[in-house]
C-alpha cells in the first residue's frame, strides 16, 4: 500500500532484544522499545505484541542464536570434551568481546530479574537458563564422563558461563575472564572418563 511505512521484522526484533539486553526487562519501557525499533506504540503492539510477549520472543531469539553456536562448539565432545567445553566458553567470550553487543547475557540478566517478572515470563527465563546445563550434560555424557561427573560439570560450567556475563558487565578484563575459564577447563581435564 502506497505511503505505508514498512519495517523488517528481524531488524525490529533484534533492536528490541538489544534494548532488553542493555537495560533489562524491568528498566525497559514500551517507549524505549518504540524508540529502539522505530515503531510507534500501536505498531509495536500490533506487530510485535505487548511487552511480555515481545520479551519472550526476544529471549527465545537470543537463546536460539547463541544455542546454535553453543551446540556447534560442543559437537566434538565425543572425541574431546575438554576442547569442546573450551569452545563452548569461547562462544561466550567472543560475544562479550563484541563491541556491537551489550555487556553480559540476556538470559543471565533475566534470571537475576525473576522476582520482578510475571510468573510465565519467569518460568520462561528459568527454562532458557536450564537449557545450558542440559546442553552441557549431553555433551559431557558423549565425552564419556560418568553420569555423576557429567551432571556436576554441566551445572558448574553453566554457572561459570553465566558468571562470565556478570563479571564482564561488572568490568572484569578479558584476561580475568580467560583465567576463570581456565580453572574450569583444567578441572574438567582431570575428570575420569567412563
Amino acid at each position: 500500500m502506497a505511503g505505508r511505512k514498512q519495517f523488517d521484522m528481524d531488524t525490529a526484533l533484534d533492536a528490541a532484544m538489544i534494548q532488553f539486553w542493555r537495560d533489562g526487562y524491568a528498566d525497559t519501557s514500551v517507549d524505549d522499545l518504540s524508540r529502539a525499533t522505530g515503531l510507534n506504540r500501536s505498531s509495536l503492539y500490533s506487530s510485535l505484541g505487548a511487552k511480555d510477549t515481545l520479551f519472550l520472543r526476544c529471549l527465545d531469539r537470543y537463546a536460539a542464536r547463541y544455542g546454535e553456536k553453543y551446540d556447534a562448539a560442543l559437537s566434538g565432545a565425543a572425541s574431546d570434551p575438554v576442547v569442546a567445553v573450551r569452545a563452548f566458553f569461547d562462544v561466550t567470550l567472543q560475544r562479550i568481546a563484541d563491541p556491537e553487543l551489550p555487556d553480559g547475557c540476556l538470559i543471565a540478566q533475566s534470571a537475576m530479574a525473576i522476582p520482578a517478572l510475571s510468573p510465565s515470563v519467569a518460568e520462561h527465563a528459568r527454562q532458557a537458563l536450564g537449557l545450558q546445563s542440559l546442553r552441557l550434560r549431553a555433551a559431557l555424557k558423549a565425552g564419556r564422563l560418568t553420569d555423576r561427573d557429567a551432571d556436576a560439570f554441566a551445572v558448574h560450567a553453566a554457572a561459570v558461563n553465566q558468571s562470565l556475563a556478570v563479571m564482564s558487565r561488572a568490568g572484569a578484563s578479558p584476561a580475568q575472564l580467560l583465567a576463570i575459564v581456565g580453572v574450569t577447563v583444567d578441572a574438567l581435564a582431570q575428570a575420569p572418563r567412563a
Side-chain angles (χ1 to χ4, degrees), residues 35-91:
R35 277 190 296 280
T37 61
L39 298 171
N40 64 40
R41 290 174 72 98
S42 68
S43 294
L44 186 70
Y45 281 112
S46 66
S47 300
L48 302 174
K51 183 179 172 182
D52 275 6
T53 302
L54 178 53
F55 180 72
L56 292 176
R57 289 177 75 179
C58 291
L59 194 58
D60 287 345
R61 186 175 189 82
Y62 181 94
R65 181 172 293 159
Y66 291 102
E68 289 173 7
K69 293 178 182 187
Y70 288 133
D71 288 340
L74 293 171
S75 66
S79 60
D80 194 335
V82 175
V83 169
V85 169
R86 182 171 293 282
F88 171 86
F89 285 124
D90 285 345
V91 170

Side-chain angles (χ1 to χ4, degrees), residues 127-170:
Q127 289 173 2
L129 185 61
L131 285 176
Q132 279 200 350
S133 293
L134 293 174
R135 176 179 283 120
L136 284 157
R137 185 185 190 287
L140 293 170
K141 285 292 297 170
R144 297 173 310 283
L145 266 70
T146 65
D147 283 345
R148 183 174 161 267
D149 285 343
D151 288 341
F153 274 106
V155 170
H156 178 79
V160 168
N161 199 49
Q162 296 307 316
S163 76
L164 294 172
V166 173
M167 297 292 290
S168 75
R169 197 162 229 205

